[in-house]
Amino acid sequence: MTRFLFKAPETVRPVARPGAVKVEGDNLNLYLDRKINATGNASVSKDDQTIYSDEVEYNILNNELIATGNVRVSLVDSEIKGPALKMSLTEVIGRINNASITLKKQSNQSTARAEAKAIFFEGPSKKRLKKVRYTTCEVGVDDWYIKANEMELDTFTGSGTVKHAHIEFKGVPLLY
């Protein structure tokens, strides 16, 4: 009879430390401990933010990433989609062109959504949208919307401001 002094532990998945960056993909390439390139179902996660894309290039030295192809940024309070993203993960500063954003429900508020020529990330809770169309209507229903040259969203305070905007109801401008 064989006796062991200890029991071998079951496989334990590593737990990322707060602020750690996790890069995943079907194919990973590491270049001189400076850059990681992930292709096929690529994702980069940091804290409550995950970026999914066809391809991601993450620069370890300056904590910047470039994501291309079917980009989806999943945040606690919103989801942003577009063709490409460039972002500094340290400051959460970046840009995604030809994008759409869906703001997730909070308490009794309905979901809001918008399309924009560009969305600029200006910190963890601030986004600036250029050439934007915004509504709280259900997807596929555009009874009313706000069109604006610029919209600023602050998801921390739950507020937004628009510049050079007008409201349209069923395609008819109402307020400028």
Side-chain angles (χ1 to χ4, degrees):
M1 180 163 129
T2 306
R3 290 180 33 138
F4 295 101
L5 297 176
F6 65 92
K7 182 180 176 184
E10 295 181 27
T11 303
V12 178
R13 293 191 68 120
V15 176
R17 294 181 180 168
V21 176
K22 182 170 101 176
V23 179
E24 295 180 300
D26 292 341
N27 299 302
L28 295 173
N29 293 307
L30 178 63
Y31 300 99
L32 299 173
D33 295 338
R34 291 185 167 88
K35 195 182 293 184
I36 298 173
N37 186 281
T39 57
N41 299 310
S43 69
V44 176
S45 300
K46 182 179 179 190
D47 300 326
D48 293 335
Q49 171 180 285
T50 304
I51 299 160
Y52 303 94
S53 182
D54 294 337
E55 183 174 354
V56 171
E57 182 179 292
Y58 173 62
N59 187 317
I60 298 166
L61 296 177
N62 61 14
N63 212 16
E64 291 184 350
L65 71 86
I66 297 171
T68 54
N70 300 308
V71 175
R72 181 170 54 96
V73 181
S74 181
L75 305 166
V76 172
D77 53 15
S78 59
E79 184 172 89
I80 301 165
K81 295 179 181 179
L85 166 72
K86 184 174 183 181
M87 178 182 278
S88 166
L89 292 179
T90 305
E91 293 90 15
V92 190
I93 295 174
R95 176 184 181 142
I96 186 168
N97 291 330
N98 302 316
S100 65
I101 182 170
T102 302
L103 301 171
K104 297 177 184 173
K105 290 184 179 182
Q106 298 175 2
S107 61
N108 293 328
Q109 297 176 344
S110 61
T111 300
R113 59 189 172 87
E115 295 88 33
K117 190 74 173 164
I119 297 177
F120 297 90
F121 296 85
E122 298 178 337
S125 63
K126 294 187 180 181
K127 293 156 197 68
R128 186 168 40 94
L129 291 72
K130 291 285 195 172
K131 303 288 183 190
V132 62
R133 183 177 165 199
Y134 171 92
T135 186
T136 57
C137 293
E138 295 292 324
V139 175
V141 178
D142 289 335
D143 288 344
W144 77 271
Y145 49 87
I146 297 172
K147 279 188 170 180
N149 283 343
E150 186 173 299
M151 175 181 278
E152 292 179 11
L153 297 174
D154 187 330
T155 53
F156 179 75
T157 62
S159 64
T161 57
V162 293
K163 294 179 183 175
H164 306 289
H166 66 274
I167 297 174
E168 289 188 14
F169 180 74
K170 299 210 181 224
V172 177
L174 295 178
L175 298 170
Y176 287 92

